[in-house]
Amino acid sequence: MVEWGRRAGRSPFFREDLMSETASHAETRGVSFLHPIVEREDLFLPESITEDDRLMLDTAREFMEREVLPRAAELEADKLRVSRELLRRAGELGLLGVEVPEEYGGLGLGFRVGMLLLEEIAREGSYACVQGAHTGIGMLPIVFFGTDEQRRRYLPRLVKGELASAFALTEPDAGSDALSIRCKAVLSPDGTHYVVNGEKQWITNAGFADIFVLSAKVDGEHFTTFILERDTPGVTLGREEDKMGIRGSSTRSLILQDVRIPVANRIGEVGRGHKVALNNLNIGRMKLGFGVLGGCRALLNAALGFAAGRKQFGRPIAEFGMIRKKFAEMAIQTFAAESMCYVAAGLIDERVHAVRARPDHTSAEVLGAIEEFAVETASIKVFASEALDYVVDEALQVHGGYGYMKECPVEKAYRDARIHRVFEGTNEINRLVVAGTLLRRVLTGRLDLGPRATEAEASLETGVLDHAAPAGTGIGPELERLERLKRAGVYVLMKVGQVFADRLREEQEVLEGLADVVMDLEACDAALRRVLWVEGTPGDRGVDLYQDLGRGVLATFGPRVERNLVELLSYTWPAMEPASADRLARHLFRVRSFLEAPPVNRYALRRRIAERLSARGRYLEH
Amino acid sequence: MDSVVCVKRVPDTETKVQVGPDGRRIQASGVNHVLNPYDEYAVEACLQAREKAGSGEVTVLSLGPAEAAQTIRQALAMGADRGVLLKTDPACDYYMDPLSVAHALAARLKTMRLDLLWFGKLAIDDQSYAVGPAVATLLGLPCVTEVAEFAALPGRATATRVVEGDRVRMEVDLPAVFCASKGLNEPRFASLKGIMSAKKKPLETVDLAQGTARVEVVALELPPARQAGRWIGKGVEAVPELVRRLREEAKVL
């Protein structure tokens, strides 16, 4: 539940909220980060996990260190056999059934623990894909949308790792445009099964999967999801793809020729399969985000360790300013992505869990609960994968020539990282999802930003932020700056919506700019919530480092928001008021003045962060 | 086959330890604590003995602060049946010397039925190697330390010790005390189901009546930073000079 004023002296700044204290978790809403920060005690954060979560993390860590990482080369050489062996072992340890209800052999724990485990699993890029695809996009459609009979038939063995699963959506001519698939299913005359023909491409786990969650169109029109067993006659696999990275994961195409799938293996209704597929991707995106976090943390720690031992000019390179700056920037990126993933996953889990906890819930309600957070899941995917690319690039740079050599794990991590900006929807598609979903919700009235926009316009007009910085926190200026950025962001969002409502399809770069604003605001919001949580919670976590990381996030992403807003306004304005260049200049001046923030000493800030990281020898731990 | 395994909560070896402001103990903040790695071998030995015998209970006993309950849970998650925590008082937070610890453990152990009593051969934080043998002495039980191989029979057990250049196989009457060394077994890690079910297993907490300190920690210091290496020369020609310095400066030859 929401709890207010855990510390004396907090101003009403925190009390304005979109969720009343009595709001049930079933009504936890998406896109809450555009509103003023709400302080909550039960935030999901790396710092707030339970002791049991920690034990489970230990199990995942030991599994990785003792059984997966030592076999990384073997996994690449003999992926089909080793993948199966590792999945089976993960199944024994219970790593594969976290979200699966207990009656089907799982632990029935909700998303949070599953996400945490992924961070550990992600330390080996290929295996992360093997287990991620199996437990995520391969298994969850059955968990969430399968019939009781389908669940009984498949889940217990999937949870044990006796069966492996894959998700087959992409086709040669249907990549980003996933709804244009051609794979066709036709009901047999006797109504007992579908006859399916088509070709699927780039299917993770295809080489050893026993079941495929398959998307096809009934009669070539109605998007529908099926469970396809590998042994069914007419199923053939293509050769293994020769990939740049994640070379220990199996990626193949799937050719279906008159394949007969029993009607009982249809998931959900005919014509509703796109909902299953797309929401499956929503969850997949969140999982990808968490997977990426584990990579960021491992790479930052590797860079810290290497730089402490590598001497040049008679000193460890960790002592040099430009290396230290890299540590700080990598930590800021990681902290931002991490905060964003955790805060959003906590909210999603809350809502989905509340729905699933009701015995009479329908799969449509589960879909609705997941869909509510489509903006968050897409933005997590984009933001985290780009943070990883930043971190892996700098980690390699810190390693210098060693980082370019095959024997250095960073070389492999560099190649493995790149796919994350491409799969689970390219980052371009996900940016369209972020901005498009948001604008659609505003334009249809589903998301009421009206009062927020009025407030934003008023404060832009007067330049006054009618909220005092709260007392008792070390990040008052950042909180104020974020609130200013949010208001300007909402203002621009509404303007863009008004002007381009009927031709958004032709304004992709505008949507991209808007998506960047939204993602950066979400990251800043989550990072500051996290700092507030740490400040307000007893315990000796070293609050200084958290405050500096929060400041660093604002100092890094705040200017980016500002630049994008100015660009968006400069483009949008002429459409609102043609031939008024000087009025635009005055308007932009007002917006810029409103966003004017006290200068931040970034050199000193980065040095403080880097010094603390070097002293600890590693990034923050759970 | 009933066993008791004594375990200790210790700082994680991966933690960079720093001396606290009082100069007598380590800085508590930012330190992860784990089940002492040698105790993990001991826990595993008990679990295997129980599995082999097909019956019996494994009890986990620990002396430590309230947080040590978490360490016991870790052993319960591996498969032990019940836990007992002798909880120290945070108000008298002094160093407990090995004999005091052994007295406290022995007092409780006297009330417990057991065939095997296992310890790790040492705790990685204070490395005293003493508590296991001290408890054995207080209880009047036979004791085998440095156990690298183990097999229990009804009433008797064989244990192999690793000593300088040799392996010594011993047979002892049960009940007896054993101290686990590295390589004794491969400790299992807790399955997620095990972790969930550990929450439901009985864990008894007893407030420990602590006496006064008999041994005092006067100062705690980090080891001196390693000195930089020196080039004496290259190739065969450098050997005589190297030998001379090893003998005269380093005094290791």
Side-chain angles (χ1 to χ4, degrees):
Chain A
M1 275 326 298
V2 183
E3 189 179 314
W4 307 108
R6 277 181 290 119
R7 276 189 312 166
R10 282 277 157 90
S11 83
F13 186 89
F14 294 97
R15 292 173 193 255
E16 266 195 45
D17 108 46
L18 67 160
M19 287 175 286
S20 79
E21 286 187 50
T22 53
S24 106
H25 285 164
E27 282 149 35
T28 303
R29 302 298 301 270
V31 210
S32 57
F33 55 84
L34 288 180
H35 292 271
I37 283 190
V38 178
E39 200 187 354
R40 293 180 46 158
E41 197 168 51
D42 60 349
L43 275 189
F44 180 46
L45 294 172
E47 292 73 27
S48 71
I49 64 171
T50 66
E51 283 299 332
D52 281 329
D53 292 343
R54 228 174 278 275
L55 285 180
M56 295 190 188
L57 266 179
D58 285 346
T59 296
R61 181 175 306 133
E62 296 210 26
F63 170 60
M64 290 309 292
E65 287 177 1
R66 275 157 60 171
E67 307 197 16
V68 179
L69 291 171
R71 301 183 74 183
E74 194 191 346
L75 180 61
E76 286 201 7
D78 193 358
K79 57 183 90 168
L80 303 187
R81 181 180 58 84
V82 179
S83 295
R84 289 303 296 244
E85 287 175 13
L86 291 176
L87 271 186
R88 192 174 276 263
R89 184 70 183 112
E92 278 172 26
L93 292 171
L95 296 170
L96 305 180
V98 177
E99 290 113 340
V100 177
E102 286 178 270
E103 56 193 300
Y104 304 113
L107 299 173
L109 280 178
F111 289 129
R112 297 184 183 201
V113 174
M115 296 294 157
L116 283 174
L117 297 180
L118 276 179
E119 276 195 70
E120 279 302 323
I121 302 303
R123 288 166 63 190
E124 207 292 307
S126 297
Y127 182 69
C129 294
V130 174
Q131 187 177 322
H134 175 72
T135 58
I137 51 180
M139 208 192 303
L140 287 186
I142 303 176
V143 175
F144 286 142
F145 315 119
T147 62
D148 182 57
E149 202 260 319
Q150 289 166 349
R151 291 176 186 169
R152 278 186 204 294
R153 186 177 163 104
Y154 296 109
L155 289 179
R157 284 191 292 163
L158 287 167
V159 166
K160 283 188 195 143
E162 289 171 11
L163 292 181
S165 67
F167 178 62
L169 171 63
T170 299
E171 295 180 5
D173 292 318
S176 292
D177 188 8
L179 297 185
S180 70
I181 54 167
R182 292 189 193 152
C183 185
K184 188 174 172 185
V186 178
L187 190 62
S188 64
D190 63 359
T192 57
H193 58 269
Y194 289 90
V195 179
V196 183
N197 281 285
E199 185 180 348
K200 295 288 168 182
Q201 180 174 273
W202 298 333
I203 308 306
T204 303
N205 287 358
F208 57 86
D210 304 286
I211 65 162
F212 294 85
V213 171
L214 175 80
S215 299
K217 283 185 177 169
V218 171
D219 301 333
E221 282 178 42
H222 311 289
F223 204 116
T224 307
T225 311
F226 300 91
I227 303 171
L228 166 67
E229 297 191 7
R230 163 76 184 90
D231 296 338
T232 317
V235 178
T236 34
L237 293 175
R239 60 167 178 80
E240 278 294 337
E241 301 291 347
D242 190 8
K243 306 190 292 286
M244 172 185 183
I246 54 167
R247 296 175 61 87
S249 73
S250 170
T251 310
R252 293 190 180 189
S253 53
L254 189 65
I255 298 125
L256 308 172
Q257 283 175 311
D258 294 330
V259 172
R260 293 157 64 98
I261 300 181
V263 169
N265 274 17
R266 194 184 71 215
I267 300 182
E269 293 160 42
V270 172
R272 302 279 296 170
H274 58 294
K275 293 268 180 193
V276 174
L278 296 184
N279 280 296
N280 199 21
L281 285 178
N282 285 343
I283 299 285
R285 285 165 187 161
M286 181 163 71
K287 293 199 163 210
L288 181 145
F290 275 83
V292 159
L293 296 181
C296 288
R297 193 178 292 123
L299 285 159
L300 177 49
N301 287 339
L304 283 164
F306 178 85
R310 169 74 173 163
K311 281 189 184 166
Q312 286 293 281
F313 306 102
R315 294 160 68 184
I317 63 168
E319 291 177 9
F320 293 115
M322 284 196 320
I323 301 292
R324 302 204 131 197
K325 177 179 167 187
K326 291 186 197 302
F327 293 157
E329 299 286 6
M330 288 158 86
I332 287 167
Q333 293 276 343
T334 304
F335 188 79
E338 207 174 52
S339 307
M340 194 165 162
C341 285
Y342 274 82
V343 170
L347 296 175
I348 297 169
D349 189 44
E350 195 170 278
R351 169 125 180 193
V352 172
H353 196 75
V355 169
R356 288 178 78 203
R358 283 206 325 270
D360 59 336
H361 75 271
T362 63
S363 63
E365 288 171 311
V366 177
L367 279 173
I370 296 170
E371 196 274 339
E372 176 66 27
F373 297 92
V375 173
E376 280 87 345
T377 48
S379 55
I380 281 173
K381 191 273 174 180
V382 174
F383 194 93
S385 61
E386 291 178 3
L388 175 65
D389 256 8
Y390 182 94
V391 171
V392 77
D393 187 70
E394 288 289 49
L396 192 149
Q397 195 69 15
V398 168
H399 282 73
Y402 290 101
Y404 201 68
M405 300 299 141
K406 286 267 180 194
E407 65 256 40
C408 178
V410 180
E411 183 271 346
K412 178 173 173 297
Y414 187 85
R415 286 183 291 106
D416 287 349
R418 191 60 182 80
I419 188 62
H420 291 97
R421 278 166 54 200
V422 178
F423 64 13
E424 301 292 341
T426 61
N427 282 13
E428 288 68 29
I429 288 293
N430 274 297
R431 281 187 159 88
L432 295 181
V433 172
V434 170
T437 306
L438 195 51
L439 283 175
R440 211 167 37 248
R441 285 187 190 175
V442 171
L443 294 171
T444 57
R446 177 173 157 189
L447 178 68
D448 183 13
L449 284 177
R452 191 74 173 134
T454 313
E455 181 185 45
E457 234 167 300
S459 47
L460 276 169
E461 191 65 38
T462 59
V464 177
L465 186 78
D466 46 357
H467 282 297
T473 168
I475 52 163
E478 284 72 27
L479 287 164
E480 187 187 319
R481 174 149 169 74
L482 177 57
E483 177 59 16
R484 284 177 185 270
L485 289 166
K486 282 182 180 180
R487 289 194 191 182
V490 169
Y491 170 74
V492 172
L493 174 79
M494 299 303 266
K495 289 288 173 231
V496 170
Q498 282 163 16
V499 172
F500 300 112
D502 46 357
R503 54 189 166 101
L504 286 172
R505 274 174 178 279
E506 303 312 317
E507 299 288 348
Q508 282 204 342
E509 316 96 287
V510 174
L511 291 177
E512 182 185 35
L514 209 52
D516 284 341
V517 168
V518 170
M519 291 187 300
D520 287 345
L521 288 176
E522 187 184 347
C524 292
D525 177 85
L528 294 192
R529 285 185 193 216
R530 183 172 173 191
V531 178
L532 285 174
W533 188 93
V534 171
E535 282 183 342
T537 307
D540 195 359
R541 288 186 184 77
V543 72
D544 296 355
L545 178 55
Y546 283 92
Q547 287 167 339
D548 275 342
L549 285 169
R551 290 179 190 120
V553 171
L554 260 284
T556 303
F557 301 105
R560 197 159 87 177
V561 172
E562 208 172 320
R563 196 191 64 224
N564 273 314
L565 289 179
V566 168
E567 282 182 12
L568 284 165
L569 268 182
S570 306
Y571 177 68
T572 312
W573 186 268
M576 291 192 289
E577 296 197 28
S580 56
D582 56 328
R583 277 180 45 86
L584 169 63
R586 282 205 300 279
H587 186 65
L588 284 181
F589 179 75
R590 211 159 51 209
V591 172
R592 283 204 181 102
S593 318
F594 178 68
L595 293 177
E596 184 75 41
V600 176
N601 188 343
R602 291 188 65 181
Y603 286 94
L605 178 63
R606 283 189 298 243
R607 281 182 190 168
R608 286 201 304 272
I609 293 173
E611 245 156 61
R612 291 207 190 86
L613 292 174
S614 286
R616 298 166 58 94
R618 52 201 301 154
Y619 178 71
L620 304 171
E621 280 148 338
H622 287 95
Chain B
M1 186 72 58
D2 291 318
S3 345
V4 178
V5 53
C6 294
V7 302
K8 186 175 182 186
R9 176 178 183 265
V10 297
D12 190 348
T13 42
E14 281 180 33
T15 306
K16 251 191 179 177
V17 171
Q18 268 156 1
V19 178
D22 67 354
R24 292 179 186 200
R25 65 197 113 185
I26 62 166
Q27 184 115 38
S29 69
V31 176
N32 257 338
H33 286 86
V34 296
L35 173 59
N36 178 37
Y38 289 96
D39 300 347
E40 282 187 38
Y41 299 116
V43 173
E44 179 65 32
C46 295
L47 298 177
Q48 287 183 8
R50 185 191 64 190
E51 280 158 11
K52 217 169 153 203
S55 67
E57 274 210 337
V58 177
T59 305
V60 186
L61 175 64
S62 185
L63 184 155
E67 295 79 18
Q70 201 50 45
T71 309
I72 295 177
R73 292 242 178 260
Q74 216 172 318
L76 296 179
M78 286 170 73
D81 300 292
R82 55 179 61 248
V84 180
L85 171 62
L86 307 179
K87 189 163 74 72
T88 52
D89 182 355
C92 43
D93 183 21
Y94 55 79
Y95 172 73
M96 271 185 88
D97 66 288
L99 189 56
S100 306
V101 173
H103 272 293
L105 292 175
R108 172 72 194 201
L109 286 163
K110 273 180 192 150
T111 69
M112 301 165 87
R113 217 187 60 205
L114 57 88
D115 303 297
L116 308 174
L117 175 54
W118 274 93
F119 291 82
K121 71 170 184 181
L122 69 103
I124 57 163
D125 53 354
D126 58 10
Q127 304 201 6
S128 74
Y129 291 83
V131 175
V135 168
T137 308
L138 294 172
L139 296 178
L141 294 178
C143 177
V144 187
T145 58
E146 291 281 353
V147 177
E149 271 177 46
F150 178 79
L153 315 158
R156 270 179 100 67
T158 59
T160 303
R161 307 182 70 229
V162 178
V163 295
E164 186 81 40
D166 269 319
R167 294 169 79 80
V168 182
R169 213 179 73 195
M170 298 177 147
E171 277 195 25
V172 280
D173 287 334
L174 299 182
V177 175
F178 303 92
C179 301
S181 109
K182 196 176 174 174
L184 170 65
N185 50 41
E186 179 83 1
R188 67 196 70 187
F189 31 92
S191 75
L192 268 52
K193 275 226 159 72
I195 293 167
M196 304 271 288
S197 63
K199 280 194 282 197
K200 294 168 203 142
K201 290 178 179 173
L203 200 170
E204 178 194 351
T205 302
V206 184
D207 286 323
L208 184 70
Q210 281 169 266
T212 49
R214 303 187 302 180
V215 176
E216 193 186 346
V217 175
V218 181
L220 189 64
E221 288 161 8
L222 291 176
R226 241 176 78 183
Q227 291 186 345
R230 272 176 300 165
W231 278 109
I232 291 169
K234 280 189 182 172
V236 183
E237 308 85 72
V239 173
E241 175 65 7
L242 177 64
V243 170
R244 188 186 69 77
R245 295 215 190 188
L246 285 175
R247 183 178 298 139
E248 292 171 15
E249 285 180 30
K251 298 195 167 62
V252 294
L253 291 181

